[in-house]
Amino acid sequence: NAGVTQTPKFQVLKTGQSMTLQCAQDMNHNSMYWYRQDPGMGLRLIYYSASEGTTDKGEVPNGYNVSRLNKREFSLRLESAAPSQTSVYFCASSDPGRSQYFGAGTRLSVL
Amino acid sequence: GQQLNQSPQSMFIQEGEDVSMNCTSSSIFNTWLWYKQDPGEGPVLLIALYKAGELTSNGRLTAQFGTTRKDSFLNISASIPSDVGIYFCAGQMGGADGLTFGKGTHLIIQP
């Protein structure tokens, strides 16, 4: 009954460090998404993958890269972290035109 | 980027009262979703609406997809302490598009 699993749950980075956030879903969904949530804000779309083998930019893609490793896994990479990327990151999955289901989030601080 | 206008920003109510919140958009959406987020958790889907004019219930929750496709509301009847949290509306254009979120309604229940 896992749904969408994100790792790690917490991470602290120094400015300029790199890291990859991992996301896996076990619902056999075709589409996967990465969002960020800043204090007092709704979630904003960073990147998404409509299906295995495709990725597209969302509203706030600058400073991020993604990889759709297979149908289950979709990773988000920060090549050179900046303080402005301090946020909570959520992964979601769905079938096209249907509801998106979210993971518990990764809380990232960049010092 | 596109924004959804969600109101009210916060609500202070007594246990047992009914709650109403709404979202409006300048653009048309083909799907409206309502999520609840508890502290430290990811958004959890409450209700999904797929047709203009649709009225859907989930226990004490009722949501409607506006006929213009530019708005939606969520009602909670007879509130209980576990209803405390942040409620988000989200709209989707269609297919595998990402979601556009409102900024949330923070529901606080006074004993």
Side-chain angles (χ1 to χ4, degrees), chain A residues 1-23:
Chain A
N1 200 27
V4 179
T5 302
Q6 294 184 235
T7 56
K9 294 190 186 305
F10 302 93
Q11 184 71 49
V12 178
L13 294 177
K14 294 181 179 178
T15 298
Q17 286 186 318
S18 62
M19 79 160 296
T20 300
L21 282 65
Q22 307 286 354
C23 176

Side-chain angles (χ1 to χ4, degrees), chain A residues 33 35 37 42 90 97 99-100 103 107, chain B residues 35 37 40 42 48 50 95-96 99 102:
Chain A
Y33 307 82
Y35 295 86
Q37 184 178 31
F90 290 100
S99 307
Q100 292 184 18
R107 282 140 189 86
Chain B
Y35 289 89
Q37 186 177 29
Y50 298 108
L99 300 179

Side-chain angles (χ1 to χ4, degrees), chain A residues 31 33 35 37 40-45 48-50 59 90 94-105 107, chain B residues 1-3 31 33 35 37 39-43 45 48 50 88 92 94-104:
Chain A
S31 304
Y33 307 82
Y35 295 86
Q37 184 178 31
M41 300 287 290
L43 283 69
R44 291 182 294 166
L45 183 67
Y48 68 103
S49 171
E59 181 185 353
F90 290 100
S94 73
D95 279 325
R98 308 309 294 178
S99 307
Q100 292 184 18
Y101 295 89
F102 287 82
R107 282 140 189 86
Chain B
Q2 187 173 191
Q3 290 287 323
T31 299
L33 304 163
Y35 289 89
Q37 186 177 29
E41 301 292 330
L45 182 67
Y50 298 108
F88 289 99
Q92 186 184 38
D97 291 345
L99 300 179
T100 299
F101 279 83
K103 292 186 177 181

